[in-house]
Amino acid sequence: GEGVQLEFVITHPEYKWFDFDTDGGKRRARRTIVSAGETVEREFRMLRGLEIHGRVIDHEGKPIPKVVVSSESITQYYRHWFDAIGKKRFATTDKQGRFKLGGLARGKLNLVLTGVACGKVYENGVVAHKPGSKEVVEFVIKRRGRVIGTIPNLEKRPVGGRVYVTLEPMGDDVLNMDRMQRRRYVLNRLNQFALENVKEGSYRIWVHVDEQVSIPQQIEIEAGVPVNVTFELAGGGLLEARLRTADGTPVDPAMATLIAVTEGKEHALGRFVGREGTIATDSVVPGRYRLQIDAAGFAPVRSEVFDVLEGRPTDVGIITLEP
C-alpha cells in the first residue's frame, strides 16, 4: 500500500507500561500510520511500573545473599508484551539479603528464588507496590546443606577431571528411585568437588573414578553446615547375568535394578538396561546385592543375594522370567 502501520513496544527496568496500555491495564492498541514520503514524530508517555522491595532471610533471621529472584506475571489482562512472550525480570540479593524488582505489571506475580544456599523456592501470588513505596516484603526460606568431597590419593587424573558422585537418601523404599542422585562433577586442582543445594537428612555417598569406586559412607546433612568427606578409592567389581524365558529364549530388552542388601535392609542403587538377554555393568561397589528384573510381558523377578568382590567378576547366572 501507500503507507505502513507500526506498533511500538518499549521496555525499561523501571517503566514497563508502554504505548497502548491504559491506566486500567487492558491493552488498547494505538497504531502509528506512516504514509509514503511522510515523516511522523511521536512522543511516548511511559507509565512507571510497580515495584517489589524484598528481603530474603532464613529461619534465624539471617540474610541470604546471592539469591536470584525472577518474576512472572500471572494476570491475564494486565500482561505487558514483555511478559506475554515469557520474559522475566531478575534481581539478586545483596549482603543484607535485599533486592528490588522494578517495572512490574499490575496484578499478582509469581516469584522464583534460586540460590546455592536455598535451592529453588516458589513464592506465589505476590503483589507489587506503587513506585516509591518503602514497604519491604520478607521471604523466609530454609537453607540447604553442602558437601565438599576430596579424593586425596588419586594416582591419575580422569579425563577432564570428571568423576561420578552417587548420593543415596537413607530409609527410602527399595524401588523408590526418585530421590537418588548420580551426577558428574569436575575436580579442581586439589582433587575436590562440591555438592550444593542438598536437603537435610541422612545419606550414603560414594564416587566412581574410571574403573575405581569408593566405599559408601554415611553422612548427615544440616542446613547451612558444610560437610567434608574424604574418599579412598579401590577397584570396583564386575557384574554379569543372563536373562532367559522358560524355554531358554533371551529376553530383550529388560530393566535391571541393582539392590544393595545391608544389615537386613535393602536399598535400590541404580538401574541399567539389558539387551539380547544379557546384563553387565562394571565399577560396582564391593558388597552384597540382589537384582530385580523387569521386562514387558513378564512378571518382575528377583535374584538370590550375591556378593560383589573388589576387582573380580561376579556371575549371577541365569535368571528365568515367567509371563
Side-chain angles (χ1 to χ4, degrees):
E2 292 297 323
V4 64
Q5 295 186 33
L6 302 176
E7 177 182 301
F8 292 89
V9 177
I10 301 174
T11 61
H12 184 276
E14 303 293 338
Y15 295 84
K16 191 161 188 181
W17 303 104
F18 60 117
D19 187 29
F20 51 81
D21 280 322
T22 64
D23 289 339
K26 295 185 179 180
R27 298 178 60 162
R28 186 172 300 169
R30 176 182 175 185
R31 303 289 181 180
T32 299
I33 302 176
V34 183
S35 301
E38 181 183 6
T39 298
V40 176
E41 293 186 3
R42 284 289 314 278
E43 181 180 79
F44 297 93
R45 294 184 178 273
M46 306 290 289
L47 297 179
R48 192 179 181 102
L50 302 183
E51 299 174 350
I52 294 179
H53 295 260
R55 187 165 184 255
V56 181
I57 59 176
D58 60 18
H59 286 78
E60 297 179 355
K62 298 180 180 178
I64 304 181
K66 298 182 180 180
V67 176
V68 177
V69 183
S70 65
S71 67
E72 178 186 6
S73 173
I74 58 175
T75 305
Q76 181 177 1
Y77 294 109
Y78 298 162
R79 301 186 78 186
H80 183 281
W81 173 88
F82 193 80
D83 299 308
I85 64 171
K87 298 290 186 179
K88 298 180 180 180
R89 298 283 181 174
F90 291 91
T92 303
T93 59
D94 60 15
K95 293 181 179 180
Q96 301 301 319
R98 297 181 180 274
F99 70 90
K100 175 191 173 184
L101 284 172
L104 299 174
R106 299 173 178 85
K108 294 183 178 181
L109 302 166
N110 286 345
L111 299 185
V112 181
L113 286 64
T114 307
V116 170
C118 62
K120 182 174 289 187
V121 179
Y122 297 89
E123 297 287 347
N124 301 322
V126 180
V127 178
H129 301 286
K130 292 181 179 181
S133 172
K134 296 183 179 180
E135 184 171 349
V136 177
V137 183
E138 284 194 339
F139 300 94
V140 182
I141 58 180
K142 191 172 185 178
R143 291 181 181 267
R144 295 199 177 186
R146 186 169 189 255
V147 178
I148 302 173
T150 305
I151 309 176
N153 299 321
L154 192 60
E155 296 179 358
K156 180 181 178 182
R157 185 175 175 85
V159 177
R162 295 186 293 268
V163 299
Y164 288 90
V165 182
T166 303
L167 191 67
E168 177 201 3
M170 301 297 292
D172 281 1
D173 181 75
V174 65
L175 294 180
N176 183 8
M177 304 295 295
D178 296 337
R179 296 175 55 200
M180 183 173 168
Q181 302 177 30
R182 185 176 188 268
R183 297 180 181 177
R184 187 179 69 181
Y185 294 87
V186 176
L187 297 173
N188 62 18
R189 294 182 179 179
L190 300 176
N191 290 337
Q192 293 180 327
F193 61 89
L195 278 67
E196 311 286 0
N197 183 26
V198 183
K199 292 182 179 180
E200 287 185 295
S202 300
Y203 295 86
R204 289 204 314 162
I205 186 171
W206 64 95
V207 298
H208 289 75
V209 182
D210 294 331
E211 296 181 356
Q212 292 184 301
V213 295
S214 68
I215 299 299
Q217 303 179 58
Q218 184 167 340
I219 58 175
E220 298 291 332
I221 299 296
E222 297 181 11
V225 180
V227 176
N228 293 281
V229 185
T230 300
F231 298 92
E232 298 291 339
L233 296 177
L238 306 176
L239 177 63
E240 298 180 357
R242 293 171 295 285
L243 312 178
R244 298 290 187 269
T245 62
D247 60 3
T249 303
V251 177
D252 182 28
M255 180 68 70
T257 301
L258 183 63
I259 300 171
V261 181
T262 307
E263 297 179 353
K265 297 182 180 180
E266 299 188 347
H267 307 278
L269 295 184
R271 291 176 176 172
F272 47 98
V273 178
R275 299 307 306 262
E276 299 179 354
T278 301
I279 57 173
T281 186
D282 56 9
S283 300
V284 179
V285 177
R288 177 158 290 189
Y289 301 92
R290 73 164 79 240
L291 286 172
Q292 174 163 317
I293 308 300
D294 296 275
F298 296 90
V301 61
R302 289 192 181 190
S303 71
E304 297 295 329
V305 175
F306 55 85
D307 292 311
V308 174
L309 304 178
E310 179 183 338
R312 294 177 57 182
T314 299
D315 188 352
V316 181
I318 297 176
I319 300 177
T320 303
L321 283 77
E322 300 288 346

